[in-house]
Amino acid sequence: MGNSETPRVRREQRRGPVVRRLGQMQAGTTDQHLLDTRGTADWVHEDPFRVLRIQSEFVEGFGALAELPPAISVFGSARTRPGTPEYEQGVAIGRGLVEAGFAVITGGGPGAMEAANRGAMEAGGVSVGLGIELPFEQGLNPYVNLGVDFRYFFVRKTMFVKYASGFVVLPGGLGTLDELFEALTLVQTKKVTRFPIVLFGTAYWQGLLDWLKGTLVAEGKAGPADLQLFHVTDDVEEAIGVVTKEAGT
């Protein structure tokens, strides 16, 4: 015969969708913790509260950027110095994108980002800066006329892709490479469509291109078609033409 004994009723605690039993039960109620002003402020550093912060960042970003005209995200090094040919090319790209009818989105920092924002603002366009909280805080550059600061990289990165129709990638460091490879992955996996990516500066990017072809593709870790996911140029007008033409199709 089977055991017909009724299972012993366990004490349990329900807080919304969460059920806690035995050693996982907590003292007090949710309302009590909310209204108890004598408690510590440790809860603002706990994961459930972080979810609300993350949600609020998405809401603020969507709200600020929802009415943007078609836009192109421009990436590049924060260490690019004003007055250098690289900086002036960034200014020209920002200006050319606005003249082609696009807003310009950057990370809002100095260097190549400032250059693109400067070109956009001086051309009378929408110049967007999406800043990020960093230990070496720099703030938004003075050529941003619409700025949003973020705590979380992944929220910020969503905004770069969601509100842009393509990327122009100037010479840059790890952050630039991060954005580049995320974009390439999204296009390769068809998470985004019709998303042109232009690498500006053939000399700078040549070593990476050689490695992609000679190692990544040669060893079968990527396909030859993946090398067609981006366009490389040294010409400002060509870069603008490629990214805006494909973005507008």
Side-chain angles (χ1 to χ4, degrees), residues 26-42:
Q26 298 176 337
T29 66
T30 302
D31 281 339
Q32 180 183 355
H33 287 295
L34 174 65
L35 299 173
D36 187 0
T37 58
R38 294 171 297 174
T40 70
D42 291 346

Side-chain angles (χ1 to χ4, degrees), residues 76-92:
S77 176
R79 303 181 185 187
T80 300
R81 301 185 66 176
T84 61
E86 200 171 285
Y87 184 95
E88 295 305 322
Q89 289 163 344
V91 173

